[in-house]
Amino acid sequence: MKRYSQNIFSIVILVFAIILMIGCGGNNNSTTTYSNNQEANDSSKDQKRVDNQKGLEVIDQKRQKIKFGHSINTTANEYLPIMNGDGSKLYFSAMDRTGFFDFKLDFTKQKSAGGEDIYYSRLKEGVWTDARPITAINTNGHEVVSQISEKGDLVVTANYPEKLGVKDTKDAGVQTTDLFFLKNSNATFQINHFPEPVNSIFTEADGWMDSEESFLLFVSDRPGHMGNYHKKGWKWNESFWGNTDVYVSFKVDDSWNVPVNLGPVVNSVGAERTPWLSYDGLTLFISSNGHEKGKNDLNVYAFKRKDQNNWTDWDGPYIIKDANTIYDDWGYKEIKNGDAFLASATPLGFKPTQGGASGDGGIRETNYRPGYELHGLQVASLNSEFETNIYVLKKQNTPAFVVNDVFFDFDSYLIKKSFEKYLDLITDQINQNKKAIVVINGYTDNLGKKIYNNELSFKRADEIKKFLISNGIKNTIEIQGLGDANPIAPNNSDENRRKNRRVEIYLKAIDATN
């Protein structure tokens, strides 16, 4: 492979020489350090503590895990889903995402695509439309998004030219990732590099700030972490995630303080990734492969604290059972309506012959396209024998889709031709969840006779059922006509009554590994 040049051995030696010079057991760039002798005895994590659910009563553990359709997920790898403030856009990252419903990218000709890129999908008529790349941000290197602020600013992990990793002057193949803050200004972005001591010559990723931008949570494999150094992207512990810990750095005026390791309750001798803090600041969610003996896949865990200002005194870990599978699950983040988004891996069912397609190594290109070059280490450290997709966790009484009144002719159950394109997207997503039971509930406003409203709402639900079946849906489908029951708005205005005239589609009893 082209990226394994004859200089690579000397560069690797240089990297590890720097590590040994600094020393993995302690770090002058950290106010809190921990012994690494726990790696020799991973039973130091008490199994009973992991299974303890006390303190997580407020977290719904019986949500439906629903896979997104092809507008977001493809045969490539999609991960790190992030919702914007008003819920109208879903941002995510993907590795070599080449195929779309209505256009393709030629990576050999475009410099704003390739490797890991950032995409967004818009919510229209209750469904997510075909995702688009953010060409102002993406390059032929690696870019992934971990946060979107209310103002549209982004926190990004990337291989942009300004980074601190060790450089191979010939092909820059050994550079690690750094954290960047992208300031949004009229659909363009000013790219700002977080300075030292946030970034270092080691890997920094998965940044997340509070709304006041007073602190930054992130992960790093810098000296001072729990356990020994293991390079991300190189196979260890039956994974390619390396050994990263969660840190926090505080902003004082225009500078950032020396990062603080969150301590041995949160961090393990394995990999910790994608930290996210609840809206009240008291519950931390991460993904880790080091908190349960004998498990090497990333699982989602929660940790509780009583004081927002205490960053090293945590209770946990608590398993978020409805988020996890027996494979990697990561990037968990909730939104204010209770939905949560994350990525989960599933096996391909075969061993790829092209070893560098999406993972399994540190310094490499991720494909063999002529004329296409890629620099730096990938952020996701993906296993090439797995495919990673994006899911949403929804409460059982929350519909997956809402078909609005505009889909139908006035006072009719006939579907307008112009809205069938949105039903096609719903059909596609249901096809990605073949084991789900589809429940369709039709509703009206409170005007008119109840018998007529019940019949109209049933016919609208039935019409949606017929559309799904005619387009290949083989799931079990249950329908109800509920008339003016369960209004979502007071029936006191034309606008509110229009909201109540709807068809809700639920996906029940989903097996996320289907």
Side-chain angles (χ1 to χ4, degrees):
M1 187 179 294
K2 182 166 56 177
R3 196 57 60 221
Y4 285 97
S5 67
Q6 61 182 359
N7 295 328
I8 200 62
F9 180 76
S10 60
I11 298 300
V12 172
I13 294 299
L14 174 60
V15 171
F16 281 99
I18 293 173
I19 295 168
L20 291 173
M21 289 172 61
I22 298 175
C24 289
N27 181 12
N28 293 330
N29 287 336
S30 176
T31 58
T32 309
T33 59
Y34 302 94
S35 170
N36 63 16
N37 61 7
Q38 288 176 314
E39 181 166 347
N41 181 16
D42 59 8
S43 64
S44 61
K45 290 289 182 184
D46 187 350
Q47 186 73 25
K48 293 181 180 178
R49 289 178 58 209
V50 177
D51 292 333
N52 177 20
Q53 294 296 297
K54 185 179 178 180
L56 287 184
E57 294 85 355
V58 296
I59 299 177
D60 187 345
Q61 290 286 317
K62 297 180 180 179
R63 294 167 292 186
Q64 301 291 336
K65 190 171 183 179
I66 302 171
K67 183 180 178 181
F68 281 99
H70 287 97
S71 58
I72 292 176
N73 292 317
T74 69
T75 55
N77 293 283
E78 286 81 21
Y79 41 89
L80 285 175
I82 313 288
M83 186 74 74
N84 72 336
D86 63 9
S88 64
K89 290 182 182 178
L90 180 68
Y91 290 74
F92 63 94
S93 305
M95 173 76 80
D96 285 349
R97 190 177 191 270
T98 60
F100 299 87
F101 279 168
D102 56 355
F103 76 96
K104 288 182 179 291
L105 292 172
D106 185 348
F107 288 177
T108 67
K109 297 178 181 179
Q110 297 192 36
K111 298 301 182 184
S112 60
E116 292 175 298
D117 286 332
I118 301 171
Y119 299 81
Y120 71 94
S121 174
R122 295 182 183 274
L123 186 65
K124 288 187 178 181
E125 301 299 340
V127 294
W128 295 102
T129 57
D130 287 338
R132 294 290 182 267
I134 307 180
T135 55
I137 296 174
N138 296 330
T139 70
N140 282 167
H142 295 299
E143 304 83 30
V144 302
V145 61
S146 54
Q147 186 182 16
I148 300 165
S149 73
E150 294 288 337
K151 297 177 288 187
D153 301 330
L154 307 179
V155 177
V156 169
T157 308
N159 291 113
Y160 290 133
E162 185 180 4
K163 49 191 177 289
L164 302 178
V166 179
K167 297 175 176 63
D168 177 350
T169 56
K170 182 178 180 180
D171 56 20
V174 299
Q175 289 176 328
T176 59
T177 58
D178 274 1
L179 290 164
F180 296 82
F181 182 71
L182 277 61
K183 189 77 173 175
N184 183 20
S185 177
N186 298 322
T188 62
F189 292 90
Q190 180 187 32
I191 300 176
N192 301 288
H193 183 243
F194 281 100
E196 291 193 272
V198 171
N199 283 313
S200 71
I201 66 169
F202 297 91
T203 292
E204 279 77 41
D206 304 342
W208 188 88
M209 289 192 291
D210 64 322
S211 57
E212 290 80 25
E213 299 176 8
S214 65
F215 66 81
L216 174 70
L217 280 167
F218 65 98
V219 303
S220 177
D221 58 6
R222 66 183 64 199
H225 59 66
M226 298 290 295
N228 295 324
Y229 179 83
H230 293 280
K231 190 175 183 62
K232 181 175 67 66
W234 289 5
K235 190 172 185 180
W236 169 73
N237 196 29
E238 296 302 316
S239 79
F240 297 90
W241 293 104
N243 181 7
T244 51
D245 276 8
V246 182
Y247 291 81
V248 63
S249 180
F250 305 98
K251 191 173 185 180
V252 179
D253 298 326
D254 293 328
S255 301
W256 291 90
N257 281 349
V258 174
V260 175
N261 187 298
L262 265 57
V265 174
V266 171
N267 293 313
S268 71
V269 297
E272 277 70 51
R273 295 299 305 264
T274 58
W276 178 78
L277 202 60
S278 63
Y279 294 102
D280 63 6
L282 299 178
T283 306
L284 174 71
F285 296 87
I286 68 167
S287 287
S288 173
N289 63 6
H291 280 293
E292 294 182 72
K293 185 177 181 180
K295 288 187 66 65
N296 302 309
D297 59 297
L298 292 179
N299 274 344
V300 181
Y301 301 93
F303 300 83
K304 303 285 288 187
R305 64 177 178 176
K306 297 179 181 179
D307 181 359
Q308 291 184 354
N309 297 314
N310 189 330
W311 290 90
T312 57
D313 187 9
W314 299 90
D315 292 325
Y318 305 104
I319 302 174
I320 307 302
K321 293 182 179 180
D322 61 359
N324 295 323
T325 66
I326 60 174
Y327 306 110
D328 284 336
D329 306 284
W330 58 302
Y332 180 97
K333 290 181 175 63
E334 296 179 359
I335 58 176
K336 292 182 179 179
N337 72 356
D339 289 351
F341 299 84
L342 78 161
S344 292
T346 53
L348 292 175
F350 65 92
K351 187 173 181 63
T353 58
Q354 180 175 304
S358 61
D360 296 3
I363 305 159
R364 68 186 315 129
E365 291 183 354
T366 62
N367 56 52
Y368 298 99
R369 297 183 183 93
Y372 172 74
E373 295 184 358
L374 183 66
H375 303 290
L377 300 182
Q378 59 205 29
V379 178
S381 297
L382 299 169
N383 187 326
S384 65
E385 296 181 28
F386 287 77
E387 178 182 326
T388 304
N389 293 295
I390 293 173
Y391 294 78
V392 59
L393 287 166
K394 280 188 170 291
K395 294 180 179 179
Q396 294 192 40
N397 60 352
T398 304
F401 311 100
V402 177
V403 177
N404 297 315
D405 183 53
V406 295
F407 280 66
F408 302 94
D409 290 321
F410 176 71
D411 198 26
S412 170
Y413 59 86
L414 298 177
I415 300 170
K416 295 178 181 179
K417 286 290 184 183
S418 59
F419 284 87
E420 288 185 356
K421 60 184 178 182
Y422 298 109
L423 292 179
D424 288 336
L425 292 173
I426 292 175
T427 301
D428 175 71
Q429 185 165 345
I430 293 175
N431 259 323
Q432 301 307 304
N433 298 278
K434 296 183 185 299
K435 295 183 181 180
I437 297 172
V438 181
V439 178
I440 306 175
N441 294 337
Y443 294 96
T444 66
D445 59 31
N446 67 342
L447 297 181
K449 296 182 178 180
K450 282 190 176 292
I451 294 177
Y452 179 81
N453 286 340
N454 288 341
E455 183 180 0
L456 177 61
S457 63
F458 180 87
K459 287 182 177 179
R460 285 188 168 185
D462 190 49
E463 200 67 15
I464 298 295
K465 175 182 177 180
K466 291 176 181 176
F467 183 93
L468 297 178
I469 292 174
S470 66
N471 284 275
I473 294 298
K474 298 187 180 345
N475 302 57
T476 298
I477 301 178
E478 302 173 356
I479 64 173
Q480 296 183 92
L482 298 174
D484 62 1
N486 306 322
I488 58 175
N491 282 295
N492 56 9
S493 67
D494 288 341
E495 181 180 353
N496 282 346
R497 283 190 288 270
R498 189 162 47 247
K499 292 177 182 178
N500 291 329
R501 299 192 295 266
R502 69 201 188 278
V503 176
E504 295 181 345
I505 303 176
Y506 296 78
L507 302 182
K508 301 285 190 177
I510 292 176
D511 180 355
T513 62
N514 59 352

